[in-house]
Amino acid sequence: MSMLQPSILLLREGTDASQGRAQVVSNINACLAIVDIVKTTLGPRGMDKLIYDDKKATISNDGATIMGLLDIVHPAAKTLVDIARSQDSEVGDGTTSVVVLAGELLKEAKSYIDEGVHPQTIIRAFRKALSFSLSYLETHSISIADKKKEELRKVLVNCARTTLNSKLISGHKDFFAEMAVDAVMALDEDLNMDLIGVKKVPGGSMQDSFLVDGVAFKKTFSYAGFEQQKKKFVNPKILLLNVELELKAERENAEIRLTDPDQYVPIVEAEWEIIYSKLEKCVECGANIVLSRLPIGDLATQYFADRGMFCAGRVPEEDIRRVAKATGGSVQSTVEDIIPTVIGSCDLFEERQVGHERYNIFTGCPVAKTATVILRGGAEQFIEEADRSLHDAIMVVRRAIQHSTIVGGGGAIEMQLSRALKDYSKTIHGKAQLMVASFARALEVIPRQVADNAGFDSTDILNRLRREHSLGTVWYGVDIDKEGIIDTIESFVWEPTLVKKNAIESACEAAALILSVDETVRNPESEQPPDAPVGPPGQRVSQAGMAGLMGGGLRQLKGKGGK
């Protein structure tokens, strides 16, 4: 008679452990529910999402923004948030594409999982398809490295226009594409994005936005005497300081013991002598404009005003750093022995009214390694979305300059890759052939979703695209304007190759990661409270609420912090 084996308790009581094939499918379903939320934002005719919490509402169709604002609690679905953020920080555009593509790869893999294929078999095949795709992109992209400056500028403008085509400000894409290219081309060879400033001023129209070839920042706190200062200088000398030009009240933090009341007067006089000595040295160095990170008080403001000078204290560090870069000046931590080489200059300084704000603007800078965009618009939410859109366009232009290769947009490169992968799959033996072909089918989701979001017959569009690509016409994609197909290279719908390479690579790695997880262990201490809302209209997207979300139709999403 066999003895019963005693049970061994490895995890504390109440711990929930799900494992096996059912867990993999559950994780895939969770990710597909997230994809259903963002996929309608893809393309030039994509819809916007309204995400709100107790503090503010955000309207956006930027994939990274939407994914970041959703409070996703499902551990596997959080992977999609990570790849959207990664795509945004690396290339700035394609954040929705990478999430949609990852979801489609998981959808293709789900059928094999249901049939009992091991996830590692699928992962190996997907990585083989990824390797082929990256090599194909490397050899079939169009180089722009040898183009002259005028031709290069046209290419960059077209790349920026393609990016802005799917944004809320697409009606002004020509205006902002030029602005994005001008901003990037004003930078050094290292193309440091921190040197492009964006200032948002509510009011006016989007066309009232303008680019300053230099630096602009909002007027700082005004002290007495500020209005008497001169507000416009031609060829001024600019002194940048990290010095406080203000009388300090030592009596608040220091103790002085006097034996004779007459000793108090020399102490006060010494304090005034110190501040006047600093101010005289600022005047003697020949500067017309004095900017400081630290406060410039009433006495100094009036002192400079009496001498026809302009000053501004408490200038944000980011702005004073960009002023130094543009004007050729250096920030000084003392006013002693100021030499001419540390003083900056520009062609024109003026204080200009922009909407209801006043801005200090430096233009015609001799070094000009920085630029500032002044964004205008009616609603604050609209300006915020314009800022995100312009950031995407600037990042795309920057990457196009750095990597100097482009491909056709509008789903053209995805269709071409899909055709090449299908041909490649026929050379592979075994189960991997089916999975590489599935990878090829998954790539078609981009043109299909672009057509669907525009209200077109996506089946007809894809059939026509497949036919053209099978005939060898490489760059045919979706024509949004005429509900058909078009040669995207000839119609200037261009994208940097890096955007597509990074999107395909990130989507494949995310799919592989999710497929490789076959067990989820939930610690009871970390479980969400029972009263936490699940699914719409609540903000927490959990495994239990996935089925409700997959019904679609979600347009208003509760963001982080919602009750």
Side-chain angles (χ1 to χ4, degrees), residues 6 27 57 86 102 128 145 168 195 211 218 223 275 364 416 420 458 469:
N27 289 341
S86 169
K128 187 177 289 188
L168 197 62
L195 296 177
L211 178 72
K218 186 178 174 181
Y223 284 92
I275 184 70
Q416 183 61 19
S458 58
H469 283 269

Side-chain angles (χ1 to χ4, degrees), residues 1 29 36 72 78 86 128 134 176 207 247 268 412:
M1 183 175 177
N29 289 339
D36 280 346
I72 299 170
K78 285 182 179 179
S86 169
K128 187 177 289 188
L134 296 179
F176 283 106
Q207 295 283 349
L247 278 169
V268 175

Side-chain angles (χ1 to χ4, degrees), residues 51 176 183 291 309 351 400 439 461 471 479 488 511 516 531 541:
I51 305 153
F176 283 106
L291 304 179
M309 297 169 63
E351 186 173 292
F439 194 102
I461 297 286
L471 295 174
D479 184 359
T488 54
S516 66
D531 58 343
V541 186

Side-chain angles (χ1 to χ4, degrees), residues 297-503:
D298 293 337
L299 173 66
T301 303
Q302 188 64 58
Y303 186 92
F304 289 136
D306 294 341
R307 286 154 183 78
M309 297 169 63
F310 176 89
C311 70
R314 292 194 178 95
V315 179
E317 184 174 347
E318 173 203 349
D319 292 325
I320 206 166
R321 188 175 70 249
R322 291 194 299 112
V323 170
K325 192 78 172 176
T327 62
S330 300
V331 179
Q332 302 298 298
S333 57
T334 177
V335 294
E336 301 293 335
D337 299 322
I338 298 174
I339 57 177
T341 54
V342 302
I343 295 177
S345 64
C346 66
D347 290 345
L348 178 66
F349 164 80
E350 61 179 330
E351 186 173 292
R352 191 189 306 174
Q353 190 78 22
V354 181
H356 63 280
E357 304 284 1
R358 288 164 73 177
Y359 272 76
N360 298 327
I361 299 176
F362 300 80
T363 53
C365 302
V367 187
K369 302 299 182 185
T370 181
T372 308
V373 178
I374 308 291
L375 275 181
R376 305 297 310 280
E380 183 180 345
Q381 294 166 351
F382 196 84
I383 298 178
E384 292 289 342
E385 180 64 3
D387 181 20
R388 289 188 286 267
S389 303
L390 194 60
H391 169 266
D392 286 4
I394 288 171
M395 285 291 288
V396 161
V397 171
R398 176 174 178 252
R399 291 302 186 187
I401 292 175
Q402 288 178 325
H403 295 271
S404 65
T405 57
I406 60 169
V407 292
I413 187 62
E414 286 85 2
M415 289 301 299
Q416 183 61 19
L417 266 177
S418 178
R419 186 199 64 77
L421 274 170
K422 286 174 183 174
D423 292 342
Y424 170 64
S425 69
K426 295 171 185 176
T427 66
I428 302 173
H429 298 286
K431 286 183 272 189
Q433 180 185 102
L434 298 173
M435 292 152 203
V436 171
S438 295
F439 194 102
R441 284 197 302 274
L443 288 170
E444 293 183 351
V445 71
I446 301 298
R448 183 192 308 122
Q449 196 63 50
V450 167
D452 278 337
N453 291 348
F456 301 161
D457 183 349
S458 58
T459 304
D460 177 57
I461 297 286
L462 251 65
N463 284 336
R464 292 167 65 184
L465 284 174
R466 290 190 192 107
R467 178 180 178 276
E468 290 296 336
H469 283 269
S470 67
L471 295 174
T473 46
V474 177
W475 299 117
Y476 264 79
V478 182
D479 184 359
I480 291 296
D481 296 323
K482 297 180 180 178
E483 191 172 347
I485 60 175
I486 195 171
D487 189 318
T488 54
I489 292 296
E490 288 186 1
S491 58
F492 309 113
V493 181
W494 301 343
E495 294 185 71
T497 308
L498 185 69
V499 173
K500 294 303 178 186
K501 287 176 69 174
N502 204 75

Side-chain angles (χ1 to χ4, degrees), residues 28-316:
I28 292 174
N29 289 339
C31 294
L32 294 180
I34 302 301
V35 173
D36 280 346
I37 294 173
V38 299
K39 70 180 183 181
T40 56
T41 67
L42 185 67
R45 299 290 185 269
M47 305 296 287
D48 298 322
K49 303 293 180 183
L50 170 61
I51 305 153
Y52 67 95
D53 57 24
D54 291 340
K55 296 179 181 178
K56 68 171 186 176
T58 303
I59 299 174
S60 178
N61 69 353
D62 180 67
T65 302
I66 295 168
M67 298 293 286
L69 289 172
L70 287 177
D71 190 9
I72 299 170
V73 297
H74 193 286
K78 285 182 179 179
T79 307
L80 299 183
V81 181
D82 294 337
I83 62 170
R85 286 177 178 164
S86 169
Q87 181 79 3
D88 190 47
S89 62
E90 180 65 21
V91 290
D93 193 26
T95 51
T96 304
S97 298
V98 71
V99 174
V100 171
L101 187 54
E104 193 66 16
L105 288 173
L106 289 171
K107 186 185 289 186
E108 292 286 343
K110 183 181 175 183
S111 60
Y112 295 114
I113 297 292
D114 288 336
E115 291 170 6
V117 178
H118 196 281
Q120 289 299 333
T121 305
I122 304 171
I123 292 170
R124 281 196 300 273
F126 277 6
R127 284 185 172 149
K128 187 177 289 188
L130 172 65
S131 177
F132 176 85
S133 300
L134 296 179
S135 300
Y136 190 89
L137 281 170
E138 198 72 40
T139 56
H140 288 73
S141 54
I142 300 171
S143 175
I144 58 173
D146 57 347
K147 292 187 179 294
K148 296 179 181 178
K149 188 173 181 179
E150 295 78 10
E151 293 177 343
L152 176 62
R153 180 185 171 79
K154 289 180 181 178
V155 172
L156 297 176
V157 168
N158 285 320
C159 288
R161 287 176 75 253
T162 302
T163 301
L164 293 170
N165 219 13
S166 61
K167 304 298 182 184
L168 197 62
I169 57 173
S170 59
H172 309 283
K173 62 185 177 184
D174 294 330
F175 177 76
F176 283 106
E178 295 277 354
M179 187 180 290
V181 173
D182 288 338
V184 175
M185 296 190 83
L187 300 179
D188 273 332
E189 290 182 1
D190 61 354
L191 300 177
N192 185 357
M193 297 298 295
D194 292 336
L195 296 177
I196 297 179
V198 178
K199 306 299 180 182
K200 292 166 275 194
V201 186
S205 69
M206 297 302 295
Q207 295 283 349
D208 292 332
S209 304
F210 60 94
L211 178 72
V212 176
D213 188 14
V215 185
F217 57 84
K218 186 178 174 181
K219 180 178 79 70
T220 58
F221 181 81
S222 300
Y223 284 92
F226 182 84
E227 293 302 333
Q228 298 174 33
Q229 290 185 343
K230 190 176 176 183
K231 301 298 191 297
K232 186 173 182 178
F233 292 90
V234 178
N235 296 319
K237 302 297 181 186
I238 304 163
L239 176 62
L240 307 174
L241 299 174
N242 190 23
V243 178
E244 190 171 6
L245 298 177
E246 190 172 32
L247 278 169
K248 294 298 291 181
E250 271 76 9
R251 63 181 177 275
E252 294 178 359
N253 52 21
E255 181 179 331
I256 304 173
R257 299 194 177 193
L258 305 175
T259 57
D260 186 346
D262 292 338
Q263 294 175 341
Y264 182 70
V265 175
I267 294 173
V268 175
E269 288 179 347
E271 192 177 24
W272 284 79
E273 284 175 9
I274 290 171
I275 184 70
Y276 273 119
S277 173
K278 290 180 179 178
L279 298 178
E280 285 170 8
K281 287 181 171 61
C282 292
V283 175
E284 287 171 3
C285 74
N288 307 108
I289 298 171
V290 180
L291 304 179
S292 179
R293 287 176 179 156
L294 300 176
I296 296 179
D298 293 337
L299 173 66
T301 303
Q302 188 64 58
Y303 186 92
F304 289 136
D306 294 341
R307 286 154 183 78
M309 297 169 63
F310 176 89
C311 70
R314 292 194 178 95
V315 179

